[in-house]
Amino acid sequence: MKRTGFIVSALALMPLAINSAFAEEAKTQHKDMPAAETAYQGAGGSPLAAVEMYQDINPKAPAMSKAEFDKARQIYFERCAGCHGVLRKGATGKPLTPDKTLANGTEYLKVFIKYGSPAGMPNWGTSGELTDDEVDLMARYVQQTPPQPPEFSLKDMQATWKDIIPVAQRPTKKMNNYNIANIFSTTLRDAGEVALIDGDTKKIINIIKTGYAVHISRMSASGRYLYVIGRDARLNLIDLWMEKPDNVAEIKVGLEARSVETSKFKGFEDKIAVAGTYWPPQFVIMDGDTLKPLKIVSTRGMTVDNEYHPEPRVASIVASHFHPEFVINAKETGKIMMVNYQDLDNLKITTLDGAKFLHDGGFDSTGRYFMVAANASNKIAVVDTKEDKMAAIVDVGKIPHPGRGANFVHPKFGPVWATGHLGDESISLIGTDPVKHKAQAWKVVATLKGQGGGSLFIKTHPKSKNLWVDTALNPEAKISQSVAVYDIGNLDKGYEVLPIAEWSGLGEGAKRVVQPEYNKAGDEVWFSVWSAKNQQSAIVVVDDKTRKLKAVIKDPRLVTPTGKFNVFNTKNDIY
């Protein structure tokens, strides 16, 4: 796995003189930032890399031709923007704005870019990722005025909106024999497609063109409509009632995005959809059954530390079950917005202070409390969606990454929600019952030892006795190609390792094993075995009770499968 994204943690604080002793130290492998984190932040580059941007000639900065500027800009968006932000104002990484970089100078910056640093920056030059010429190019580029991508207005969105099959022309009843509740929407990351796979027969129903690197699939409250959003901000609406499910509407909501959700509150089912973007930093509210854009809201503003941030990316969004509201998380500000969609002309937003940088999360078993990772703070923020207030902020391991997390009843501590971590091997179990287990509520009641860092997803099911944890971004192939599984009734026993990639029977390739996902019945667990787009990938199905191989789904059309979303479990927040 390539290291993509770089962190300059001490750029403005280091002395300007770089002696040979420091250079030798910078050559060593840094330990503060795990390879999994740098891989996760970049993960394939930003769709903004190809967006034309204005070059502002800064007379104080080193000279750059237009061709050099464009090449450096592309490298920056492919490798660095995930950590340092589009405007280089800082996110997981420190700011790289000219007020900081010009004072250091080109030669100073080249050392950091080439050798990395113990504080967390990858060694781009010595690792072979960048040539010496490219290192020099990037050292000059970060001293330029950061180019700003264009905004994306309601008018821009309307120009991309396609009502492919209007509502009046869609089926009035289910027109196929598929068990829709057990369909898996499977991201084919590098193909810009999703595969709809029949969970009963393990056959592909349809391959549907979507945006690049679909991040999530979400279900409408009725279970009829599937919403998928790509990193390129293309949002597709798929009608599962059609004879062969396919796109019925499409829109581009920005230039880069990750999140989508639909209204779940009684009386608003299927009526409202919302999508959040990384760029521009905003969210858009749409008609749920057509994707017609209705209203845009910016997320720019103050952080929880009372500093202005110009590009708070919208991370996760969930729909409240207690109010006609969306819970929208702004990554860089650490702010959580409870957006009431009952009256779009007089939009009511309740803003809560969480922690930085908000990412992904899921509900507790009751559907009342939303648990969201603040992965730069090593915390989980707990939102009471019934009272619209913060219930707690819980310290966990390093760089929590729960996906949606995992809910189960601990033999000793009662109901808990679990998260794995990108930055360490721990698995944190947080008590979630403030009524019958008040002493344990909103505390880490137990910490399990996993295979290692680099975990992206953790999963169980109400009918299962197993807890599954992937380590897809661990730098060791043996770990990234397997999963750990725990007996919920005997967690102290430790984990069993299952060689999922080996079971797939694939040839060469990275074969990273990612995202356990249950079928509707809760007796099968599906894993993506994710290789490069020019190599074969697969889906491996495991019998949850026996932990034995049940099936392998192979097809040339399964190009880089990653996320899998079971219709029933996604619709009902079962995880």
Side-chain angles (χ1 to χ4, degrees):
M1 183 73 180
K2 286 185 176 182
R3 292 179 180 180
T4 52
F6 64 80
I7 309 291
V8 184
S9 294
L11 200 67
L13 302 177
M14 291 287 187
L16 292 178
I18 298 180
N19 56 35
S20 59
F22 174 77
E24 286 301 311
E25 179 187 5
K27 293 177 186 178
T28 64
Q29 175 66 34
H30 61 277
K31 297 181 180 179
D32 289 354
M33 180 60 67
E37 165 68 348
T38 55
Y40 160 70
Q41 290 292 346
S46 166
L48 290 172
V51 176
E52 183 66 26
M53 298 181 202
Y54 175 71
Q55 180 184 0
D56 178 17
I57 305 299
N58 185 336
K60 296 182 180 179
M64 293 191 81
S65 69
K66 179 68 164 56
E68 287 180 319
F69 181 85
D70 287 344
K71 180 180 179 180
R73 177 178 56 78
Q74 184 171 359
I75 292 173
Y76 180 83
F77 281 107
E78 288 178 348
R79 314 259 180 142
C80 320
C83 285
H84 296 285
V86 169
L87 303 180
R88 307 208 307 260
K89 293 284 188 177
T92 307
K94 295 293 184 181
L96 290 176
T97 45
D99 60 312
K100 296 187 168 52
T101 55
L102 280 170
N104 291 296
T106 302
E107 294 304 316
Y108 177 87
L109 293 167
K110 282 166 64 175
V111 171
F112 276 96
I113 296 170
K114 182 171 182 174
Y115 295 111
S117 83
M121 178 162 162
N123 51 325
W124 290 102
T126 56
S127 68
E129 295 289 335
L130 297 179
T131 66
D132 284 346
D133 286 344
E134 288 171 332
V135 167
D136 176 77
L137 185 71
M138 296 311 295
R140 288 183 287 134
Y141 176 76
V142 296
Q143 297 176 72
Q144 312 293 321
T145 302
Q148 180 166 319
E151 300 295 319
F152 211 78
S153 68
L154 198 66
K155 183 178 179 180
D156 293 325
M157 292 182 197
Q158 288 170 336
T160 71
W161 175 49
K162 300 176 183 178
D163 195 11
I164 300 167
I165 302 179
V167 173
Q169 298 175 24
R170 297 177 196 170
T172 56
K173 62 180 181 179
K174 183 171 171 281
M175 300 299 291
N176 58 60
N177 294 320
Y178 298 118
N179 178 9
I180 287 178
N182 201 34
I183 288 176
F184 288 76
S185 175
T186 304
T187 298
L188 305 182
R189 187 186 185 283
D190 296 313
E193 299 169 333
V194 295
L196 300 184
I197 303 178
D198 186 331
D200 295 346
T201 66
K202 314 296 189 291
K203 302 294 185 183
I204 295 175
I205 295 169
N206 198 12
I207 303 286
I208 300 174
K209 285 292 181 184
T210 61
Y212 164 74
V214 164
H215 192 66
I216 56 172
S217 297
R218 289 290 179 260
M219 291 304 306
S220 67
S222 68
R224 173 178 181 171
Y225 290 117
L226 172 69
Y227 300 76
V228 297
I229 191 163
R231 288 187 59 186
D232 56 1
R234 178 175 166 183
L235 173 60
N236 290 82
L237 179 64
I238 297 167
D239 187 353
L240 298 179
W241 278 13
M242 295 170 64
E243 186 174 352
K244 178 178 278 190
D246 209 335
N247 287 317
V248 293
E250 176 183 310
I251 191 171
K252 190 170 173 61
V253 295
L255 299 176
E256 187 168 3
R258 297 295 192 283
S259 51
V260 64
E261 182 60 290
T262 66
S263 51
K264 303 289 176 65
F265 190 67
K266 187 176 180 180
F268 290 89
E269 298 94 332
D270 292 8
K271 291 187 176 180
I272 301 289
V274 63
T277 51
Y278 269 27
W279 188 269
Q282 60 193 31
F283 59 88
V284 57
I285 297 174
M286 300 159 283
D287 278 334
D289 56 1
T290 68
L291 302 184
K292 179 182 179 181
L294 303 174
K295 193 177 191 72
I296 294 176
V297 179
S298 173
T299 57
R300 292 179 170 103
M302 306 304 289
T303 70
V304 291
D305 300 325
N306 295 311
E307 296 178 352
Y308 178 75
H309 202 289
E311 52 168 316
R313 297 172 287 182
V314 176
S316 52
I317 305 175
V318 296
S320 171
H321 300 281
F322 291 89
H323 304 286
E325 291 179 342
F326 294 120
V327 185
I328 298 179
N329 299 275
K331 184 184 284 281
E332 280 76 19
T333 58
K335 299 280 187 175
I336 301 167
M337 292 162 282
M338 316 296 287
V339 180
N340 189 301
Y341 50 75
Q342 195 165 15
D343 181 358
L344 297 185
D345 291 329
N346 301 282
L347 200 64
K348 180 182 178 182
I349 301 177
T350 301
T351 303
L352 310 178
D353 281 356
K356 298 189 298 188
F357 297 126
L358 297 173
H359 189 60
D360 207 356
F363 285 107
D364 78 310
S365 59
T366 69
R368 174 174 175 174
Y369 298 96
F370 177 60
M371 321 277 288
V372 59
N375 48 31
S377 304
N378 302 329
K379 299 178 187 296
I380 297 293
V382 184
V383 182
D384 183 344
T385 63
K386 183 177 181 180
E387 299 293 335
D388 279 5
K389 65 181 184 181
M390 295 300 300
I393 297 180
V394 185
D395 290 318
V396 290
K398 189 172 183 180
I399 316 170
H401 194 284
R404 307 210 79 179
N407 289 299
F408 60 93
V409 178
H410 190 281
K412 181 178 179 182
F413 301 115
V416 298
W417 178 91
T419 181
H421 300 85
L422 275 164
D424 65 34
E425 64 188 11
S426 70
I427 297 154
S428 299
L429 311 185
I430 299 172
T432 59
D433 182 4
V435 178
K436 295 181 179 179
H437 297 81
K438 188 175 182 179
Q440 287 79 37
W442 320 133
K443 298 176 183 177
V444 174
V445 297
T447 301
L448 308 179
K449 181 180 179 181
Q451 286 201 85
S455 175
L456 289 178
F457 297 97
I458 185 169
K459 192 64 66 84
T460 188
H461 189 278
K463 296 180 181 178
S464 175
K465 296 180 180 179
N466 291 321
L467 176 68
W468 303 84
V469 186
D470 72 19
T471 39
L473 294 185
N474 193 282
E476 293 188 28
K478 184 177 180 181
I479 296 176
S480 67
Q481 294 180 5
S482 60
V483 297
V485 55
Y486 299 79
D487 179 350
I488 288 172
N490 187 11
L491 293 167
D492 292 338
K493 180 182 177 181
Y495 56 83
E496 178 184 1
V497 176
L498 299 188
I500 302 297
E502 180 182 323
W503 286 353
S504 72
L506 297 175
E508 292 183 357
K511 297 191 290 289
R512 291 180 293 271
V513 175
V514 64
Q515 204 210 30
E517 177 77 350
Y518 276 86
N519 63 344
K520 178 181 182 294
D523 58 10
E524 293 177 355
V525 191
W526 292 37
F527 297 91
S528 295
V529 184
W530 170 24
S531 284
K533 68 178 181 178
N534 61 345
Q535 295 167 323
Q536 190 175 22
S537 294
I539 305 292
V540 170
V541 182
V542 176
D543 185 296
D544 182 68
K545 184 175 182 180
T546 66
R547 301 183 180 178
K548 302 296 183 184
L549 175 64
K550 188 170 183 177
V552 178
I553 305 171
K554 292 181 182 177
D555 190 293
R557 296 172 293 172
L558 290 179
V559 178
T560 57
T562 50
K564 302 163 302 304
F565 301 88
N566 177 269
V567 165
F568 183 83
N569 295 334
T570 301
K571 172 181 175 291
N572 294 287
D573 291 313
I574 295 173
Y575 33 80

